[in-house]
Amino acid sequence: VGASREAVSKAVSTLRRHGWIEWHRRRVIVHDLQALREHART
């Protein structure tokens, strides 16, 4: 991907803060797929 660990951590934290995902060990649970899609477009 070419992203640093810090950048990925920051991005995941943002998604969790919005309540769009949960992150547990090796599992990611998506709570709001539409919000993720809209965020990806920006």
Side-chain angles (χ1 to χ4, degrees):
V1 172
S4 69
R5 182 180 297 217
E6 292 82 14
V8 172
S9 179
K10 184 177 178 182
V12 168
S13 294
T14 298
L15 300 177
R16 290 176 71 185
R17 189 171 359 109
H18 286 295
W20 298 338
I21 67 166
E22 281 183 59
W23 186 286
H24 300 284
R25 291 196 176 198
R26 290 184 244 165
R27 182 182 306 170
V28 177
I29 301 170
V30 176
H31 290 290
D32 193 340
L33 184 57
Q34 186 62 35
L36 288 175
R37 285 179 175 155
E38 290 173 9
H39 183 70
R41 292 182 193 155
T42 61

